[in-house]
């Protein structure tokens, strides 16, 4: 259980970096922002990849699968904080279900 906070911190930071990087590309392609937005996008996406390696997992696939739930929840926070749209009941229910899945993947008992 001592790995919960460092794991959550690594995943939260990775989610912020991934969402920010993808948003910068989205802003360039969909919102007409300057191509210069691709520079911070590249840095942010590289930081995302590095941060994901900090998650304590012996297998990359398991780390990525567990990260998915945190990414979904962080995306809804971004939706509210950056885009000004309020997540609805179904958004929040789905994110909660995904976070439960994240916990099971990361902290479920494993055979030795």
């Amino acid at each position: 259980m001592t790995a919960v906070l460092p794991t959550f911190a690594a995943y939260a930071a990775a989610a912020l970096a991934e969402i920010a990087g993808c948003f910068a590309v989205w802003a360039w392609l969909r919102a007409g922002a300057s191509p210069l937005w691709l520079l911070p996008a590249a840095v942010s996406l590289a930081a995302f990849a590095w941060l994901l390696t900090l998650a304590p997992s012996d297998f990359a696939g398991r780390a990525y699968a567990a990260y998915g739930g945190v990414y979904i929840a962080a995306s809804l926070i971004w939706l509210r904080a950056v885009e000004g749209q309020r997540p609805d009941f179904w958004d929040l229910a789905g994110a909660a279900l995904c976070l439960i899945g994240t916990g099971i993947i990361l902290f479920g008992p494993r055979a030795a």
Side-chain angles (χ1 to χ4, degrees), residues 11-111:
Y11 279 155
L16 178 62
E18 182 180 13
I19 293 166
C22 290
F23 182 79
V25 173
W26 184 91
W28 168 62
L29 285 174
R30 301 279 308 270
S34 165
L36 292 176
W37 278 63
L38 295 176
L39 295 174
V43 171
S44 186
L45 291 170
F48 150 70
W50 174 74
L51 286 161
L52 202 53
T53 68
L54 300 179
S57 179
D58 293 336
F59 300 98
R62 188 169 290 141
Y64 301 157
Y67 165 72
V70 175
Y71 176 81
I72 290 167
S75 295
L76 294 177
I77 293 168
W78 181 278
L79 176 70
R80 179 66 172 158
V82 175
E83 298 182 66
Q85 295 295 313
R86 187 178 189 155
D88 65 18
F89 171 81
W90 298 108
D91 294 327
L92 297 174
L97 183 61
C98 291
L99 288 172
I100 291 168
T102 291
I104 292 169
I105 291 168
L106 280 178
F107 304 113
R110 304 269 184 243

